[in-house]
Amino acid sequence: MSLPAFLDTFATVPDPRVDRTKLHGLLDILVIALCAVLCGAEGWEDIEAFGRAKESWLLDRLGLALPNGIPSHDTFRRVFARLDPEAFRSAFLAWTRHLRLKSRGEVIALDGKTLRHSFDTATGQAPLHMVTAWATENRLVLAQLPVDQKSNEIPAFPALLSLLDIRDCVVTIDAMGCQKEIARTIIDQGGDYVLALKANQPTLEEGVRLFFEDGRENGFGSYRVRRSRGVEKDHGRIETREYWLTEAIDWLDGKEAWAGIRSIGRVERTRCVGGETSVEVSYYISSLGGSVGRFAGAVREHWGIENREHYILDMTFNEDASRIRRDRAPENFAVLRHIALNLLQHERTWKRGLKGRMKRAGWDEGYQ
C-alpha cells in the first residue's frame, strides 16, 4: 500500500491532544513511529533517535512537513498513551483489507498472547492480553482485540470474529475457544471451523476420545474413518503427524447443540529430538467434511500462528520484553508492531528473513 493510501486510512484516527499543545501533526507522529518500528525500534527513545537520524529522508522522501522538527520521545509516549485504541484498531482493520487477497478455504487462526512485561504495579494494571486473527495463507494479522482484565479469551473471540469477513474460510481456535456460541458465530458468518477439544468440554472430549481409542484397538466397524500421515525432518528433529477424521457422529451425545458440526478428528504428533521421543494427542470437532486433507491442513496451519506471528513478535520485535506499560500505550504499540509485521511479511523482493529486512530498511534508504 502506498503512503498516501496509508495516510488516508489513518487520518480517521482522532488526535487526543488539544489544539494549543500540538507542535507536531498526528499523522507525522504515526508515520515516524511506524518507520522506526519497521527498522527495529522498541521504545520511545528509539523512535526519537530514528527520527533524528532520518530527518532529511522523512522530509525528502516521505514529504512530511515537520515544521517543529522531530518530536521528542516524551511526545511519542504521551500521544500513544492517550490515543484511542479502538479508533487505531479500526484504521488498522480498514488498512489490512487492502492487503488481503481473500481466497476460498483460507485458514484464519485465532489465538491469544500476553505481553508479559506490560504490567504496571503502581496502577495495578495487569499484563495486556490480546486475541489475534491470523490469515495463514496471506500471512497477515487481520485484527486484534484486548481481553478484559476481569475476564478471559472466551467473550473476546466472538467480538473479534464480528470484525472479520470469514465467508468460505476455515476458522481454527484452541480448546479455550471450543464454545457453542463461538461455533454458532462462525457458521452464521458463513465460515467453517476446526475447534480443539480438551477438559473445558469434558463430556464431549471424553466421547470423542473413547470413540477413537476403541476404534484403533478394535476397529471402527461400519464407521468410515479417513486417515493421513505426514513426516517432517528438520535439524535433527523428526516429527510424524497422523490424522483421523470421520463424519459418522450419529452416536455423539449433545451434537445438536453445536451449530454446523459435521465431523470429529484426532491428531497424533510424535516428535523425536536428540534420541528422546514425545507423543501428543489432540481431539477436534469440525464443520468440515469430505477429505481428511482439509482437516489436516487446518490443524497444521493453526500451529503456524505460534511460529509466524507470536514467535516473530517476541524474537524479531522483542515484544515480550517491552516495558511500554502506561495507559493505552501497550495496546497501541501492539498495533504498531502488527502493522510493521504485515508490511514485512508482504515484502518479497529480498529473500531474507524478517530480521534481515528490518536491518536493510534501517540501513538502505532506497529499500522500499
Side-chain angles (χ1 to χ4, degrees), residues 31-332:
V31 170
I32 296 170
L34 173 58
C35 290
V37 172
L38 272 169
C39 297
E42 298 176 8
W44 313 125
E45 290 83 1
D46 286 353
I47 294 174
E48 179 188 355
F50 170 87
R52 296 196 182 282
K54 298 291 185 178
E55 185 170 3
S56 61
W57 180 82
L58 292 166
L59 290 167
D60 298 339
R61 297 298 294 274
L62 297 190
L64 303 186
L66 303 177
N68 295 296
I70 298 297
S72 69
H73 62 272
D74 285 331
T75 297
F76 284 109
R77 186 188 70 248
R78 284 194 299 268
V79 169
F80 279 94
R82 297 168 58 191
L83 198 67
D84 181 358
E86 185 174 347
F88 199 29
R89 288 195 307 270
S90 295
F92 170 84
L93 185 65
W95 173 76
T96 303
R97 290 194 184 109
H98 291 277
L99 296 179
R100 183 185 176 197
L101 299 175
K102 187 170 176 287
S103 61
R104 184 180 180 86
E106 180 179 33
V107 175
I108 298 176
L110 270 57
D111 200 11
K113 183 180 185 299
T114 299
L115 283 66
R116 299 190 183 279
H117 286 87
S118 59
F119 64 88
D120 187 355
T121 305
T123 62
Q125 177 179 289
L128 177 65
H129 187 81
M130 300 190 76
V131 291
T132 302
W134 172 257
T136 59
E137 184 176 334
N138 281 266
R139 295 195 178 188
L140 281 175
V141 176
L142 297 179
Q144 64 282 299
L145 281 178
V147 175
D148 191 301
Q149 292 185 18
K150 298 180 180 179
S151 183
N152 56 35
E153 294 177 0
I154 294 174
F157 282 132
L160 182 62
L161 286 165
S162 70
L163 302 175
L164 305 173
D165 178 5
I166 61 171
R167 289 172 295 175
D168 300 322
C169 295
V170 181
V171 177
T172 63
I173 315 177
D174 63 14
M176 177 70 78
C178 189
Q179 305 290 331
K180 299 180 181 71
E181 179 189 350
I182 293 173
R184 168 62 63 187
T185 299
I186 294 168
I187 294 299
D188 287 348
Q189 290 185 216
D192 282 300
Y193 60 78
V194 174
L195 305 178
L197 276 174
K198 283 188 180 176
N200 61 322
Q201 298 290 343
T203 303
L204 188 60
E205 192 270 344
E206 183 181 21
V208 174
R209 178 179 58 81
L210 290 176
F211 172 84
F212 282 107
E213 287 183 355
D214 182 69
R216 293 180 70 220
E217 184 175 344
N218 302 309
F220 291 100
S222 61
Y223 292 118
R224 183 182 180 186
V225 178
R226 300 178 178 89
R227 296 180 60 180
S228 71
R229 184 174 183 269
V231 179
E232 289 186 2
K233 299 179 180 180
D234 181 36
H235 300 294
R237 174 184 63 87
I238 302 175
E239 182 168 311
T240 303
R241 303 188 185 107
E242 295 187 76
Y243 303 89
W244 289 261
L245 185 73
T246 183
E247 296 177 54
I249 59 172
D250 53 294
W251 54 270
L252 187 62
D253 291 338
K255 63 181 180 299
E256 298 81 7
W258 294 88
I261 188 171
R262 188 175 172 185
S263 60
I264 57 174
R266 180 184 190 272
V267 179
E268 180 175 313
R269 290 197 295 172
T270 304
R271 302 185 66 191
C272 297
V273 183
E276 295 187 4
T277 300
S278 62
V279 179
E280 178 184 345
V281 178
S282 303
Y283 299 98
Y284 299 83
I285 61 171
S286 177
S287 63
L288 295 176
S291 168
V292 68
R294 290 189 69 200
F295 165 72
V299 172
R300 191 166 55 250
E301 290 292 343
H302 182 80
W303 293 329
I305 193 173
E306 290 287 344
N307 299 326
R308 297 171 183 166
E309 198 252 353
H310 295 349
Y311 181 82
I312 288 174
L313 287 172
D314 284 340
M315 300 306 294
T316 303
F317 291 89
N318 212 20
E319 182 175 74
D320 241 7
S322 175
R323 296 297 293 172
I324 294 173
R325 58 193 179 190
R326 291 296 179 89
D327 303 317
R328 298 167 168 179
E331 194 174 334
N332 287 322

